[in-house]
Each structure stands twice: as C-alpha cells, then as structure tokens.
Amino acid sequence: MSRYLVAPAAGIAGEVTVPGDKSISHRALMFGALASGTTQVSGFLEGEDCLATLKAVASLGVGVRRPGPGRVEVDGVGLGGFSAPSGPLDMGNAGTAMRLFMGLLSAQPFDSVLVGDESLMRRPMERVAKPLRAMGARIETRDGRPPVRIAGGASLHGIRYEMPVASAQVKSAVLLAGLRSEGDTTVVEPAVTRDHTERMLQTFGVEVTARAGEVTLRPPQRLEAAQIIVPGDFSSAAFFIVAACIGGRAPFVVRGVGVNPTRTGLLEMLALMGADLRLVNHRSCGAEPVADVEVRPAPLRGVRVPARLVPLAIDEFPAFFVAAACADGETLVTGAEELRVKESDRIAVMAQGLTALGVRNEVLPDGLRIEGGPIAGGTVDSRGDHRVAMSFAVASLRASGPIGILDTANVATSFPGFVELARSAGLAIEERA
Ligand code: S3P
C-alpha cells in the first residue's frame, strides 16, 4: 500500500499547470461514443477514473485511439450503436462513470452490469436508479448500492424530475437517458450544480435549455462529433490554490484552469477568509471558461460557509478544511451531508486526520467546525480517498513536523503526477511503497 511522507517545507513558489478536468474528460468520451463521426479530445485526463470510462466505452464496441499524450479519438457509433459488452463494466473508483453510464445504458437493447472498487461498491446508486425507473428503465441495485443491473429493451419516456439532492451526476444521468426517450426531459435542481453536461451536449448539437433552476433536453436525431479541448481541472488546481494561500512565499500561479462558475465556490470561500486571489488571462476552451489563478500570500480568518456555495465547492472541502485549520478563529461548514457519500466519508475522515495533527474540530451530522491553530506532525489515514491524501500533503506547509499519509494510491484516479508537480512547487513530498 503506497503512502506519502511530507516534511515541513519553506513554502511554495512559482507556477504549475494541472492535468485535465475529470468531469469533462468522462463526458467527452461518453458523448463522443454516442455521436456520429470522430470526436477529437485533447487535454484528456489520463487518470484511472477516466481510463475506466475509456475501457467501458471500448467494451461497448466503440473505437477509441490514443494518438499522443492527452489526446483521444473516439469513433462514435451513433445513438443506437452500442453493442453488448462481454461482461460486467468495471468503473473502478469513478462514481461519475457509474452514474452517467446508468443513464446511457438504461435505453440500450442489451442487459448490462456495473461494478467498481471497494469504495464505489459502498456508494448510493438509488438516487439515480429511482428517476431512471420513473422514465421506464429496469434497474436493480443491491441494497441501494452496486452492482447495478440494467435490463435491456426498456422504452423510456421523458419526465420532469425534481431532484431531492443537488447532484450533477443525478442530473446528468437523467438527461442522458432523456437522449433516447420519448418526449422532453426536465430536471429541476434544488441548488446550482456543475453544468458540464448541458454545455457539452450543446457542443454536440443537442437542444438543451437551462432556465432558473431547471434544464430541459429535447431528444435529438443524432449527436454531431465535436472537438473537445479539456481545461485544467479546478478540483486539482484547488490543492495548489490552498497551498499558496497557506504557504505561498510570493505570488503563485496555476495556469489554464477551468473556471466554470458552477465549480469555483472555493475561490469565494477563500476570498471570504481574506485570501488574495485573482483570475487573469480569461479565455475559453469551447463551451468552458478558462483562466490563470494568481494567489498572493495573505492571512486567513475563519468563516461560516454560506449554504449556496456548498454544491459549487463540493469536491474542494478536504482542501478547504486544511485552509480552515490554518485560519485565525473558527470555521463552520454545514449543509454538506453529501460529503459523507463521496469516495470516503469526507467529514469523518478529514476530522480524524485533523485530530491526528492536533487541529481541534467538532464533527456535525452535515459538516464540520474547525478551530484554526498550529498543525503538528503525525500520521493520517486517507482511507483511499485521493482528495483527502492530497489535502493533507498540502497541510505540511504549516506543520511543525513530518506528516505521514497512508493509502495514497488512488491519487492516480484524478491527479497523475501529483507528487512530482507538488515537489516542483516546493513541497517536500516523497512517495513510499
Ligand atoms: C461530478 C459531480 C459531483 C462531484 C463528482 C463529479 C460530475 O458529484 O462530487 O466528483 O462529474 O458530475 P455529485 O453530483 O454526486 O455531487
């Protein structure tokens, strides 16, 4: 089992470019597979999660080539062109892959089974199965969890679905099922969630209309192959943004980051704490906005995180909790119960890690209260959660002794090359087998 050993360092400086966006990379493969013609993807995230999607797409009879680093060509088979896979589709650690494929596979003529790794086999799937059943899909879960069994040959009809949880994965799965349904499909969101599906479907020529709090998809005749340039993943940039806030020695820059406003809640949260952050060099990658993020050292103070920002920063809480540990005073996060059903229970696992490093905190059913203060060295268990592992690596910038981080192999699911990049910025990080 691999682990990190991270010694206290003098601080970080310079600039980094992070790998491609995970959410967008998954979608580029799936939508490319459904399109007519060849979709070209560049900046693709070659992390294990997206490679699981790539393998699954190939198992469905789609031609996929990787002509160079970050490049993928997908020979789309059209909306009705998937062929039956020869066995269960293994989604690895990737919740996004499993949930979006549930939507795609519900409307196929063949049966399919979706499985994943130990973490994914524990995650809730009924939140997706329920609305898909309401559309006519025939899906079974085991006590609400994978394996997910989808019976082929169902004919689907569009629905208007009011989501009980703010989830981009549920929204996306329902919209993808809607591609092959009779009539329009509308999803109503209780709060704004990431909108990559809507943006990219439009790029593939699908009529998707978003108005206040809801999105409607009209079933298309076909998807047109597209060229997708994947921006840097904001969720990977987040570790360096927090690192620069708590341990920057000079202005630090993360270049080429996707700054879709449905993803950048962390910037607002850090700004409320007093961080000095600027987005510069605005540009776009197709339908997605991109910028460089500049961070200057500034003292942080504790905050109460506004509820509206929670879904806009849902993957950034592990890193944010580390920023909170370095802030002056108390930080309170509530309304974040979704953190309990991510790759790990991120409230419990982060709280245990913070406690192991001497940071006072109180676990709440739906969040965490953190008292900023000194961080000691110690050993934390990431429980195989990539974002927890990277967050505690960043905490080393303020720690008084070395931090050992256990069970770090899953960093490769979202951020291949993290250790090397972090070292280039100034972290004293080593990986041990
Ligand atoms: C994702 C949506 C979010 C996020 C996940 C990726 C996506 O999950 O946590 O890492 O690509 O749609 P939920 O929609 O379940 O909140």
Side-chain angles (χ1 to χ4, degrees):
M1 199 179 269
S2 69
R3 62 196 168 96
Y4 293 161
L5 191 64
V6 204
I12 70 164
E15 59 174 72
V16 291
T17 303
V18 294
D21 186 277
K22 182 149 74 81
S23 293
I24 297 175
S25 295
H26 281 301
R27 287 161 172 82
L29 294 179
M30 293 179 189
F31 302 176
L34 290 174
S36 304
T38 298
T39 287
Q40 314 260 3
V41 188
S42 59
F44 176 76
L45 172 64
E46 288 161 329
E48 287 167 5
D49 275 15
C50 299
L51 294 174
T53 288
L54 191 143
K55 235 173 124 182
V57 157
S59 308
L60 293 165
V62 178
V64 189
R65 290 177 299 282
R66 296 173 66 189
R71 289 186 50 214
V72 185
E73 292 173 355
V74 188
D75 293 330
V77 292
L79 273 171
F82 286 161
S83 46
S86 57
L89 297 169
D90 187 353
M91 302 292 139
N93 194 242
T96 305
M98 183 167 290
R99 295 193 177 119
L100 270 56
F101 269 117
M102 286 171 71
L104 285 180
L105 294 171
S106 286
Q108 300 300 327
F110 50 82
D111 298 350
S112 28
V113 179
L114 302 175
V115 296
D117 73 1
E118 206 190 316
S119 150
L120 187 53
M121 294 302 275
R122 285 195 300 261
R123 296 182 64 187
M125 294 299 148
E126 277 299 318
R127 53 178 55 200
V128 179
K130 261 193 200 134
L132 294 177
R133 279 187 208 114
M135 299 174 85
R138 287 179 295 148
I139 303 190
E140 279 173 32
T141 61
R142 188 192 287 159
D143 296 330
R145 302 185 164 81
V148 177
R149 293 173 195 282
I150 304 170
S155 54
L156 305 189
H157 52 85
I159 55 168
R160 178 182 172 83
Y161 185 60
E162 299 199 11
M163 290 195 294
V165 284
S167 164
Q169 293 179 351
V170 175
K171 170 176 68 175
S172 301
V174 172
L175 292 175
L176 292 179
L179 287 173
R180 300 198 67 205
S181 295
E182 174 94 25
D184 293 358
T185 293
T186 297
V187 180
V188 184
E189 302 192 287
V192 177
T193 66
R194 66 188 67 191
D195 64 359
H196 305 302
T197 295
E198 297 90 303
R199 288 176 190 245
M200 201 187 290
L201 282 174
Q202 286 169 346
T203 303
F204 280 82
V206 180
E207 195 181 321
V208 181
T209 35
R211 4 175 224 290
E214 62 178 69
V215 44
T216 298
L217 175 141
R218 170 145 300 170
Q221 292 297 322
R222 54 195 246 148
L223 272 68
E224 300 296 343
Q227 211 166 11
I228 303 293
I229 304 171
V230 181
D233 196 325
F234 184 85
S235 298
S236 297
F239 302 107
F240 289 94
I241 294 170
V242 168
C245 284
I246 65 170
R249 278 188 274 127
F252 189 85
V253 187
V254 190
R255 297 220 182 268
V257 185
V259 289
N260 179 319
T262 61
R263 293 285 298 279
T264 52
L266 175 75
L267 297 180
E268 280 186 66
M269 283 152 49
L270 291 171
L272 288 173
M273 292 179 125
D276 183 349
L277 304 161
R278 281 166 228 194
L279 295 185
V280 297
N281 199 8
H282 285 272
R283 52 219 193 258
S284 60
C285 274
E288 295 284 347
V290 174
D292 299 339
V293 184
E294 278 184 8
V295 188
R296 288 177 175 72
L300 301 181
R301 54 183 177 270
V303 287
R304 243 188 132 94
V305 172
R308 137 192 110 73
L309 293 179
V310 169
L312 308 181
I314 195 66
D315 290 343
E316 282 62 75
F317 280 97
F320 177 75
F321 291 152
V322 169
C326 300
D328 191 18
E330 181 183 288
T331 291
L332 178 64
V333 175
T334 55
E337 57 276 3
E338 275 297 296
L339 296 178
R340 294 203 178 268
V341 291
K342 295 295 178 187
E343 287 83 325
S344 70
D345 175 345
R346 287 182 174 160
I347 294 176
V349 173
M350 285 302 299
Q352 281 159 15
L354 289 169
T355 302
L357 301 180
V359 178
R360 288 168 54 176
N361 65 84
E362 183 194 347
V363 172
L364 308 170
D366 61 343
L368 202 55
R369 189 192 307 274
I370 296 174
E371 187 65 47
I375 300 181
T379 300
V380 299
D381 191 341
S382 79
R383 307 284 184 91
D385 186 323
H386 55 137
R387 300 200 195 283
V388 171
M390 291 185 273
S391 299
F392 282 115
V394 166
S396 68
L397 288 166
R398 287 284 190 93
S400 57
I403 300 179
I405 306 167
L406 307 179
D407 202 358
T408 57
N410 277 340
V411 169
T413 61
S414 71
F415 203 148
F418 170 73
V419 168
E420 296 73 20
L421 198 64
R423 208 183 288 137
S424 78
L427 260 73
I429 180 167
E430 265 181 58
E431 188 163 23
R432 305 253 169 103

